[in-house]
């Protein structure tokens, strides 16, 4: 199978990280095409390859037969579901773990707006956060609850058992946020350390730190989240 995964800046793009980590972690071969954020809205430029004007997008040369064209799969959950139909390991094999993982990943995909807005992802910095809103406190508490439940029920070191699956990929951006903002995730901190140490996450971080461009809108969002106390990015 021939896949092209279109992603954006390593520092900022939490949505891109999800399928990228999943495919790397499962050993699914793909070509990595990076389309950086260059301004607050890249909608028109991204529409040339994405029907939503957003990333990530998976391009699949799925059908070599004459008359069949390349498929475009968009949205991180859509990509995960598409891959699950074609590759083992996207979801846990144990039925209980699989049901939990699918619910938890879906909850992450559709919720936690306060966390997204008040703790924007930036891999290369450390931030002293502004006082947490009630909504953010509730989001972090729920994250802690989910992670502790998964580790306790399924034995770790990943959230749904011994192997990395889609639920780890969907929460991976939160691992960076936990480190960046010093969020208290209780016993879930063991998973944060474990997932960040994964070779694919280490590759993502190295590429993030070496990115030389900055996008003003994302940098403004970062400063609105709190005081940047360390910046390990080049330039």
């Amino acid at each position: 199978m021939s896949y092209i995964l279109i992603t954006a800046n390593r520092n900022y793009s939490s949505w891109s990280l999800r399928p990228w980590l999943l495919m790397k972690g499962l050993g699914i071969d793909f070509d990595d095409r990076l389309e950086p954020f260059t301004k607050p809205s890249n909608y028109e430029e991204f529409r040339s390859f994405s029907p939503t004007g957003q990333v990530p997008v998976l391009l699949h040369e799925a059908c070599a037969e004459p008359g069949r064209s390349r498929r475009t799969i968009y949205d991180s959950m859509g990509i995960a579901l598409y891959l699950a139909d074609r590759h083992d390991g996207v979801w846990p094999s144990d039925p209980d773990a699989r049901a939990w993982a699918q619910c938890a990943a879906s909850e992450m995909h559709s919720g936690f707006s306060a966390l997204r807005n008040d703790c924007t992802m930036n891999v290369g910095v450390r931030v002293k956060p502004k006082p947490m809103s009630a909504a953010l406190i509730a989001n972090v508490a729920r994250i802690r609850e989910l992670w502790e439940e998964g580790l306790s029920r399924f034995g770790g070191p990943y959230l749904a058992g011994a192997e990395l699956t889609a639920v780890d990929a969907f929460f991976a951006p939160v691992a960076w946020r936990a480190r960046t903002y010093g969020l208290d995730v209780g016993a879930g901190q063991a998973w944060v350390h474990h997932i960040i140490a994964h070779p694919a996450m280490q590759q993502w971080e190295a590429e993030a730190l070496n990115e030389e461009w900055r996008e003003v809108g994302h940098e403004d969002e970062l400063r609105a989240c709190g005081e940047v106390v360390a910046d390990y990015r080049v330039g």
Side-chain angles (χ1 to χ4, degrees), residues 36 43 48 58-59 93 102 159 179 181 226:
Y43 177 80
S48 66
L58 183 69
L59 306 179
S93 57
Q102 290 174 339
L159 291 177
R179 188 183 72 175
Y181 298 93

Side-chain angles (χ1 to χ4, degrees), residues 15-16 18-19 55-56 74-81 109 170:
W15 301 97
S16 295
R18 293 167 168 183
V55 290
Y74 57 92
D75 187 275
S76 56
M77 183 60 80
I79 294 170
L81 295 173
H109 188 61
F170 272 77

Side-chain angles (χ1 to χ4, degrees), residues 156-179:
Y158 294 101
L159 291 177
E163 305 294 335
L164 181 145
T165 63
V167 69
D168 299 286
F170 272 77
F171 280 102
V174 187
W176 294 127
R177 288 175 164 97
R179 188 183 72 175

Side-chain angles (χ1 to χ4, degrees), residues 97-185:
R98 185 184 186 92
W100 181 87
Q102 290 174 339
C103 288
S106 297
E107 184 178 353
M108 181 68 249
H109 188 61
S110 63
F112 299 102
S113 59
L115 179 72
R116 300 181 199 280
N117 294 331
D118 296 351
C119 297
T120 186
M121 190 174 98
N122 193 306
V123 175
V125 301
R126 306 293 182 271
V127 175
K128 180 181 178 181
K130 66 183 182 182
M132 295 173 67
S133 66
L136 179 57
I137 291 171
N139 275 188
V140 174
R142 178 57 180 153
I143 291 283
R144 182 167 60 244
E145 182 179 52
L146 277 167
W147 291 358
E148 290 179 346
E149 179 187 3
L151 293 171
S152 175
R153 284 183 62 187
F154 308 114
Y158 294 101
L159 291 177
E163 305 294 335
L164 181 145
T165 63
V167 69
D168 299 286
F170 272 77
F171 280 102
V174 187
W176 294 127
R177 288 175 164 97
R179 188 183 72 175
T180 295
Y181 298 93
L183 303 178
D184 179 7
V185 293

